[in-house]
Amino acid sequence: DGGITQSPKYLFRKEGQNVTLSCEQNLNHDAMYWYRQDPGQGLRLIYYSQIVNDFQKGDIAEGYSVSREKKESFPLTVTSAQKNPTAFYLCASSISSGSYEQYFGPGTRLTVT
Amino acid sequence: GENVEQHPSTLSVQEGDSAVIKCTYSDSASNYFPWYKQELGKGPQLIIDIRSNVGEKKDQRIAVTLNKTAKHFSLHITETQPEDSAVYFCAASKDSGYSTLTFGKGTMLLVSP
């Protein structure tokens, strides 16, 4: 089956710890995205990547980092510098950036205490 | 950058009624307008999209209309069913370089039996 996988579904961390969220796709898509979702805020773009070894900051990149070493993978690290890390994180991919359908993964709910 | 406003934030209807969700966008260069449905605890899924060269598109019980002059587009769901209950997001993007989707803040639709 083709699609996007995110793991784990739930993640708990102590304040001050960095944590990495996994995102893998087997759709052969060039573009990948990370969004953060908070109640009433919609989807806010954290980072995106158009191609391997290239990525761009989105609207709320502070406190986050990414890498794109392989076409299939786009991990997101939530660093201790992120002031409010508790949220639902969604990964997506599309054939290319711009006016194309984005396919979303099931999401990871991160809770930091 | 692009700004997408979505209304209403919540919408309650009786089963069988119609539901309409409206969005406005700010960037006249935007030319792609998708609608996503998100069920509780899951990632959003595309339900319908429209491009700027089309004024209306229909797929069974759902339809989308676009008014480029006024910069607004709407989602229409007819004969609503309880399984239509979800959060719906509109978005906009354009064909240029590093363009990405800009999402509205979402509408929670509740269909009561």
Side-chain angles (χ1 to χ4, degrees):
Chain A
D1 287 339
I4 301 179
T5 57
Q6 290 185 245
S7 60
K9 189 168 179 63
Y10 299 96
L11 191 54
F12 299 89
R13 280 294 183 270
K14 294 291 186 184
E15 192 173 326
Q17 294 179 334
N18 291 353
V19 58
T20 298
L21 282 60
S22 168
C23 178
E24 304 279 332
Q25 56 99 357
N26 61 2
L27 299 168
N28 199 32
H29 286 171
D30 283 325
M32 297 187 73
Y33 312 82
W34 274 105
Y35 294 92
R36 171 180 172 138
Q37 188 173 28
D38 298 285
Q41 293 294 317
L43 281 70
R44 293 185 290 170
L45 184 64
I46 304 172
Y47 268 99
Y48 66 102
S49 168
Q50 285 192 309
I51 199 168
V52 174
N53 293 322
D54 178 68
F55 48 83
Q56 305 294 323
K57 291 183 179 180
D59 300 319
I60 56 165
E62 185 175 352
Y64 300 96
S65 65
V66 294
S67 62
R68 187 86 186 276
E69 297 177 1
K70 299 187 299 181
K71 188 175 186 178
E72 305 79 19
S73 179
F74 190 41
L76 173 75
T77 297
V78 184
T79 75
S80 57
Q82 168 50 233
K83 296 179 181 179
N84 297 295
T86 294
F88 188 53
Y89 290 88
L90 287 160
C91 179
S93 71
S94 62
I95 293 174
S96 180
S97 63
S99 304
Y100 297 97
E101 177 182 358
Q102 291 187 15
Y103 295 78
F104 284 83
T108 292
R109 185 165 297 280
L110 172 65
T111 303
V112 177
T113 57
Chain B
E2 174 70 279
N3 182 48
V4 177
E5 300 283 341
Q6 183 171 348
H7 300 280
S9 56
T10 58
L11 179 59
S12 294
V13 300
Q14 292 292 317
E15 183 177 1
D17 288 349
S18 294
V20 180
I21 302 170
K22 299 181 179 181
C23 289
T24 60
Y25 61 98
S26 60
D27 190 343
S28 57
S30 290
N31 60 358
Y32 176 62
F33 308 93
W35 285 89
Y36 286 83
K37 175 183 180 182
Q38 185 179 27
E39 297 178 347
L40 192 63
K42 297 183 178 180
Q45 282 194 304
L46 181 76
I47 55 171
I48 195 167
D49 56 12
I50 192 168
R51 297 188 182 271
S52 59
N53 57 343
V54 176
E56 183 174 358
K57 184 176 179 180
K58 190 174 182 180
D59 183 3
Q60 299 182 1
R61 295 186 299 108
I62 60 173
V64 57
T65 58
L66 171 65
N67 183 326
K68 284 216 74 180
T69 302
K71 290 190 283 189
H72 68 70
F73 56 112
S74 301
L75 177 70
H76 305 253
I77 305 175
T78 59
E79 301 172 19
T80 54
Q81 302 167 1
E83 51 265 39
D84 293 329
S85 296
V87 179
Y88 292 81
F89 293 97
C90 63
S93 71
K94 58 188 176 185
D95 285 327
S96 67
Y98 288 93
S99 177
T100 61
L101 286 175
T102 299
F103 286 86
K105 292 190 175 182
T107 296
M108 180 176 290
L109 174 64
L110 177 61
V111 181
S112 303

PDB file of all heavy atoms in Angstrom, chain B residues 3-27:
ATOM      1  N   ASN B   3      -3.346  34.895   2.790  1.00  0.00           N
ATOM      2  CA  ASN B   3      -4.143  34.787   4.011  1.00  0.00           C
ATOM      3  C   ASN B   3      -5.494  34.194   3.634  1.00  0.00           C
ATOM      4  O   ASN B   3      -6.159  34.676   2.715  1.00  0.00           O
ATOM      5  CB  ASN B   3      -4.338  36.159   4.657  1.00  0.00           C
ATOM      6  CG  ASN B   3      -5.109  36.058   5.953  1.00  0.00           C
ATOM      7  OD1 ASN B   3      -4.804  35.237   6.807  1.00  0.00           O
ATOM      8  ND2 ASN B   3      -6.128  36.874   6.100  1.00  0.00           N
ATOM      9  N   VAL B   4      -5.884  33.122   4.313  1.00  0.00           N
ATOM     10  CA  VAL B   4      -7.161  32.461   4.033  1.00  0.00           C
ATOM     11  C   VAL B   4      -8.050  32.543   5.274  1.00  0.00           C
ATOM     12  O   VAL B   4      -7.639  32.104   6.348  1.00  0.00           O
ATOM     13  CB  VAL B   4      -6.939  30.991   3.630  1.00  0.00           C
ATOM     14  CG1 VAL B   4      -8.285  30.288   3.422  1.00  0.00           C
ATOM     15  CG2 VAL B   4      -6.101  30.904   2.358  1.00  0.00           C
ATOM     16  N   GLU B   5      -9.224  33.126   5.102  1.00  0.00           N
ATOM     17  CA  GLU B   5     -10.205  33.225   6.181  1.00  0.00           C
ATOM     18  C   GLU B   5     -11.334  32.236   5.936  1.00  0.00           C
ATOM     19  O   GLU B   5     -11.828  32.129   4.804  1.00  0.00           O
ATOM     20  CB  GLU B   5     -10.776  34.644   6.252  1.00  0.00           C
ATOM     21  CG  GLU B   5      -9.738  35.730   6.524  1.00  0.00           C
ATOM     22  CD  GLU B   5      -9.320  35.765   7.972  1.00  0.00           C
ATOM     23  OE1 GLU B   5     -10.059  35.220   8.829  1.00  0.00           O
ATOM     24  OE2 GLU B   5      -8.257  36.341   8.265  1.00  0.00           O
ATOM     25  N   GLN B   6     -11.770  31.539   6.966  1.00  0.00           N
ATOM     26  CA  GLN B   6     -12.793  30.499   6.817  1.00  0.00           C
ATOM     27  C   GLN B   6     -13.913  30.732   7.823  1.00  0.00           C
ATOM     28  O   GLN B   6     -13.661  30.991   8.996  1.00  0.00           O
ATOM     29  CB  GLN B   6     -12.148  29.121   7.045  1.00  0.00           C
ATOM     30  CG  GLN B   6     -13.087  27.952   6.855  1.00  0.00           C
ATOM     31  CD  GLN B   6     -12.373  26.612   6.878  1.00  0.00           C
ATOM     32  OE1 GLN B   6     -11.139  26.544   6.823  1.00  0.00           O
ATOM     33  NE2 GLN B   6     -13.136  25.539   6.960  1.00  0.00           N
ATOM     34  N   HIS B   7     -15.156  30.574   7.357  1.00  0.00           N
ATOM     35  CA  HIS B   7     -16.330  30.767   8.208  1.00  0.00           C
ATOM     36  C   HIS B   7     -17.443  29.791   7.828  1.00  0.00           C
ATOM     37  O   HIS B   7     -17.576  29.456   6.649  1.00  0.00           O
ATOM     38  CB  HIS B   7     -16.871  32.196   8.053  1.00  0.00           C
ATOM     39  CG  HIS B   7     -15.894  33.248   8.429  1.00  0.00           C
ATOM     40  ND1 HIS B   7     -15.649  33.600   9.719  1.00  0.00           N
ATOM     41  CD2 HIS B   7     -15.067  33.998   7.654  1.00  0.00           C
ATOM     42  CE1 HIS B   7     -14.731  34.539   9.747  1.00  0.00           C
ATOM     43  NE2 HIS B   7     -14.349  34.800   8.507  1.00  0.00           N
ATOM     44  N   PRO B   8     -18.237  29.324   8.788  1.00  0.00           N
ATOM     45  CA  PRO B   8     -18.114  29.594  10.225  1.00  0.00           C
ATOM     46  C   PRO B   8     -17.081  28.672  10.862  1.00  0.00           C
ATOM     47  O   PRO B   8     -16.592  27.754  10.220  1.00  0.00           O
ATOM     48  CB  PRO B   8     -19.519  29.278  10.740  1.00  0.00           C
ATOM     49  CG  PRO B   8     -19.973  28.160   9.848  1.00  0.00           C
ATOM     50  CD  PRO B   8     -19.389  28.462   8.483  1.00  0.00           C
ATOM     51  N   SER B   9     -16.788  28.878  12.120  1.00  0.00           N
ATOM     52  CA  SER B   9     -15.849  27.997  12.806  1.00  0.00           C
ATOM     53  C   SER B   9     -16.546  26.718  13.258  1.00  0.00           C
ATOM     54  O   SER B   9     -15.905  25.669  13.368  1.00  0.00           O
ATOM     55  CB  SER B   9     -15.210  28.705  14.003  1.00  0.00           C
ATOM     56  OG  SER B   9     -16.216  29.173  14.887  1.00  0.00           O
ATOM     57  N   THR B  10     -17.844  26.800  13.532  1.00  0.00           N
ATOM     58  CA  THR B  10     -18.637  25.609  13.837  1.00  0.00           C
ATOM     59  C   THR B  10     -19.968  25.705  13.108  1.00  0.00           C
ATOM     60  O   THR B  10     -20.493  26.799  12.899  1.00  0.00           O
ATOM     61  CB  THR B  10     -18.886  25.450  15.344  1.00  0.00           C
ATOM     62  OG1 THR B  10     -19.558  26.619  15.831  1.00  0.00           O
ATOM     63  CG2 THR B  10     -17.595  25.282  16.109  1.00  0.00           C
ATOM     64  N   LEU B  11     -20.495  24.542  12.739  1.00  0.00           N
ATOM     65  CA  LEU B  11     -21.739  24.495  11.991  1.00  0.00           C
ATOM     66  C   LEU B  11     -22.498  23.233  12.397  1.00  0.00           C
ATOM     67  O   LEU B  11     -21.966  22.137  12.272  1.00  0.00           O
ATOM     68  CB  LEU B  11     -21.449  24.478  10.487  1.00  0.00           C
ATOM     69  CG  LEU B  11     -22.626  24.417   9.524  1.00  0.00           C
ATOM     70  CD1 LEU B  11     -23.553  25.607   9.721  1.00  0.00           C
ATOM     71  CD2 LEU B  11     -22.121  24.375   8.080  1.00  0.00           C
ATOM     72  N   SER B  12     -23.705  23.426  12.880  1.00  0.00           N
ATOM     73  CA  SER B  12     -24.546  22.296  13.272  1.00  0.00           C
ATOM     74  C   SER B  12     -25.759  22.234  12.365  1.00  0.00           C
ATOM     75  O   SER B  12     -26.458  23.237  12.195  1.00  0.00           O
ATOM     76  CB  SER B  12     -24.992  22.444  14.732  1.00  0.00           C
ATOM     77  OG  SER B  12     -23.896  22.355  15.606  1.00  0.00           O
ATOM     78  N   VAL B  13     -26.018  21.062  11.800  1.00  0.00           N
ATOM     79  CA  VAL B  13     -27.170  20.872  10.912  1.00  0.00           C
ATOM     80  C   VAL B  13     -27.860  19.564  11.258  1.00  0.00           C
ATOM     81  O   VAL B  13     -27.278  18.687  11.908  1.00  0.00           O
ATOM     82  CB  VAL B  13     -26.750  20.871   9.418  1.00  0.00           C
ATOM     83  CG1 VAL B  13     -26.096  22.199   9.041  1.00  0.00           C
ATOM     84  CG2 VAL B  13     -25.842  19.707   9.105  1.00  0.00           C
ATOM     85  N   GLN B  14     -29.082  19.437  10.804  1.00  0.00           N
ATOM     86  CA  GLN B  14     -29.826  18.194  10.946  1.00  0.00           C
ATOM     87  C   GLN B  14     -29.549  17.314   9.732  1.00  0.00           C
ATOM     88  O   GLN B  14     -29.330  17.810   8.613  1.00  0.00           O
ATOM     89  CB  GLN B  14     -31.327  18.475  11.034  1.00  0.00           C
ATOM     90  CG  GLN B  14     -31.754  19.198  12.304  1.00  0.00           C
ATOM     91  CD  GLN B  14     -31.602  18.329  13.534  1.00  0.00           C
ATOM     92  OE1 GLN B  14     -31.949  17.144  13.511  1.00  0.00           O
ATOM     93  NE2 GLN B  14     -31.091  18.899  14.607  1.00  0.00           N
ATOM     94  N   GLU B  15     -29.542  16.027   9.963  1.00  0.00           N
ATOM     95  CA  GLU B  15     -29.334  15.075   8.869  1.00  0.00           C
ATOM     96  C   GLU B  15     -30.291  15.378   7.719  1.00  0.00           C
ATOM     97  O   GLU B  15     -31.487  15.590   7.937  1.00  0.00           O
ATOM     98  CB  GLU B  15     -29.548  13.650   9.378  1.00  0.00           C
ATOM     99  CG  GLU B  15     -29.287  12.576   8.352  1.00  0.00           C
ATOM    100  CD  GLU B  15     -29.434  11.176   8.935  1.00  0.00           C
ATOM    101  OE1 GLU B  15     -29.755  11.050  10.125  1.00  0.00           O
ATOM    102  OE2 GLU B  15     -29.230  10.205   8.173  1.00  0.00           O
ATOM    103  N   GLY B  16     -29.755  15.416   6.504  1.00  0.00           N
ATOM    104  CA  GLY B  16     -30.569  15.697   5.331  1.00  0.00           C
ATOM    105  C   GLY B  16     -30.517  17.160   4.891  1.00  0.00           C
ATOM    106  O   GLY B  16     -30.840  17.465   3.728  1.00  0.00           O
ATOM    107  N   ASP B  17     -30.111  18.045   5.807  1.00  0.00           N
ATOM    108  CA  ASP B  17     -29.978  19.457   5.449  1.00  0.00           C
ATOM    109  C   ASP B  17     -28.712  19.667   4.628  1.00  0.00           C
ATOM    110  O   ASP B  17     -27.863  18.778   4.517  1.00  0.00           O
ATOM    111  CB  ASP B  17     -29.903  20.323   6.707  1.00  0.00           C
ATOM    112  CG  ASP B  17     -31.235  20.421   7.415  1.00  0.00           C
ATOM    113  OD1 ASP B  17     -32.252  19.994   6.825  1.00  0.00           O
ATOM    114  OD2 ASP B  17     -31.252  20.909   8.559  1.00  0.00           O
ATOM    115  N   SER B  18     -28.587  20.865   4.065  1.00  0.00           N
ATOM    116  CA  SER B  18     -27.373  21.252   3.352  1.00  0.00           C
ATOM    117  C   SER B  18     -26.456  22.037   4.278  1.00  0.00           C
ATOM    118  O   SER B  18     -26.915  22.672   5.241  1.00  0.00           O
ATOM    119  CB  SER B  18     -27.720  22.104   2.129  1.00  0.00           C
ATOM    120  OG  SER B  18     -28.434  21.356   1.182  1.00  0.00           O
ATOM    121  N   ALA B  19     -25.169  21.988   3.995  1.00  0.00           N
ATOM    122  CA  ALA B  19     -24.174  22.741   4.764  1.00  0.00           C
ATOM    123  C   ALA B  19     -23.297  23.529   3.792  1.00  0.00           C
ATOM    124  O   ALA B  19     -22.921  23.007   2.736  1.00  0.00           O
ATOM    125  CB  ALA B  19     -23.318  21.800   5.606  1.00  0.00           C
ATOM    126  N   VAL B  20     -22.998  24.765   4.166  1.00  0.00           N
ATOM    127  CA  VAL B  20     -22.150  25.609   3.321  1.00  0.00           C
ATOM    128  C   VAL B  20     -21.039  26.215   4.176  1.00  0.00           C
ATOM    129  O   VAL B  20     -21.303  26.776   5.244  1.00  0.00           O
ATOM    130  CB  VAL B  20     -22.951  26.757   2.668  1.00  0.00           C
ATOM    131  CG1 VAL B  20     -22.025  27.614   1.797  1.00  0.00           C
ATOM    132  CG2 VAL B  20     -24.090  26.200   1.832  1.00  0.00           C
ATOM    133  N   ILE B  21     -19.821  26.087   3.701  1.00  0.00           N
ATOM    134  CA  ILE B  21     -18.656  26.657   4.373  1.00  0.00           C
ATOM    135  C   ILE B  21     -17.977  27.591   3.383  1.00  0.00           C
ATOM    136  O   ILE B  21     -17.788  27.232   2.215  1.00  0.00           O
ATOM    137  CB  ILE B  21     -17.674  25.553   4.817  1.00  0.00           C
ATOM    138  CG1 ILE B  21     -18.378  24.558   5.744  1.00  0.00           C
ATOM    139  CG2 ILE B  21     -16.462  26.173   5.528  1.00  0.00           C
ATOM    140  CD1 ILE B  21     -17.563  23.309   6.048  1.00  0.00           C
ATOM    141  N   LYS B  22     -17.615  28.788   3.874  1.00  0.00           N
ATOM    142  CA  LYS B  22     -17.084  29.808   2.969  1.00  0.00           C
ATOM    143  C   LYS B  22     -15.652  30.196   3.334  1.00  0.00           C
ATOM    144  O   LYS B  22     -15.296  30.259   4.511  1.00  0.00           O
ATOM    145  CB  LYS B  22     -17.974  31.038   3.004  1.00  0.00           C
ATOM    146  CG  LYS B  22     -19.394  30.760   2.550  1.00  0.00           C
ATOM    147  CD  LYS B  22     -20.250  32.003   2.560  1.00  0.00           C
ATOM    148  CE  LYS B  22     -21.662  31.692   2.081  1.00  0.00           C
ATOM    149  NZ  LYS B  22     -22.527  32.892   2.045  1.00  0.00           N
ATOM    150  N   CYS B  23     -14.857  30.473   2.303  1.00  0.00           N
ATOM    151  CA  CYS B  23     -13.474  30.924   2.508  1.00  0.00           C
ATOM    152  C   CYS B  23     -13.173  32.103   1.593  1.00  0.00           C
ATOM    153  O   CYS B  23     -13.679  32.167   0.465  1.00  0.00           O
ATOM    154  CB  CYS B  23     -12.495  29.791   2.227  1.00  0.00           C
ATOM    155  SG  CYS B  23     -12.519  28.504   3.480  1.00  0.00           S
ATOM    156  N   THR B  24     -12.357  33.004   2.094  1.00  0.00           N
ATOM    157  CA  THR B  24     -11.843  34.097   1.285  1.00  0.00           C
ATOM    158  C   THR B  24     -10.320  34.031   1.290  1.00  0.00           C
ATOM    159  O   THR B  24      -9.721  33.523   2.245  1.00  0.00           O
ATOM    160  CB  THR B  24     -12.296  35.465   1.807  1.00  0.00           C
ATOM    161  OG1 THR B  24     -11.806  35.636   3.154  1.00  0.00           O
ATOM    162  CG2 THR B  24     -13.806  35.588   1.820  1.00  0.00           C
ATOM    163  N   TYR B  25      -9.696  34.507   0.220  1.00  0.00           N
ATOM    164  CA  TYR B  25      -8.243  34.509   0.146  1.00  0.00           C
ATOM    165  C   TYR B  25      -7.776  35.894  -0.273  1.00  0.00           C
ATOM    166  O   TYR B  25      -8.540  36.684  -0.814  1.00  0.00           O
ATOM    167  CB  TYR B  25      -7.737  33.422  -0.800  1.00  0.00           C
ATOM    168  CG  TYR B  25      -8.200  33.545  -2.229  1.00  0.00           C
ATOM    169  CD1 TYR B  25      -7.396  34.116  -3.201  1.00  0.00           C
ATOM    170  CD2 TYR B  25      -9.450  33.060  -2.623  1.00  0.00           C
ATOM    171  CE1 TYR B  25      -7.818  34.215  -4.520  1.00  0.00           C
ATOM    172  CE2 TYR B  25      -9.883  33.159  -3.930  1.00  0.00           C
ATOM    173  CZ  TYR B  25      -9.067  33.729  -4.882  1.00  0.00           C
ATOM    174  OH  TYR B  25      -9.490  33.839  -6.182  1.00  0.00           O
ATOM    175  N   SER B  26      -6.496  36.175  -0.044  1.00  0.00           N
ATOM    176  CA  SER B  26      -6.015  37.535  -0.276  1.00  0.00           C
ATOM    177  C   SER B  26      -5.148  37.678  -1.522  1.00  0.00           C
ATOM    178  O   SER B  26      -5.100  38.757  -2.128  1.00  0.00           O
ATOM    179  CB  SER B  26      -5.218  38.009   0.947  1.00  0.00           C
ATOM    180  OG  SER B  26      -4.094  37.155   1.163  1.00  0.00           O
ATOM    181  N   ASP B  27      -4.466  36.614  -1.929  1.00  0.00           N
ATOM    182  CA  ASP B  27      -3.517  36.694  -3.041  1.00  0.00           C
ATOM    183  C   ASP B  27      -4.221  36.383  -4.368  1.00  0.00           C
ATOM    184  O   ASP B  27      -4.617  35.248  -4.608  1.00  0.00           O
ATOM    185  CB  ASP B  27      -2.365  35.717  -2.808  1.00  0.00           C
ATOM    186  CG  ASP B  27      -1.219  35.907  -3.791  1.00  0.00           C
ATOM    187  OD1 ASP B  27      -1.424  36.552  -4.838  1.00  0.00           O
ATOM    188  OD2 ASP B  27      -0.116  35.396  -3.519  1.00  0.00           O
TER     189      ASP B  27
END
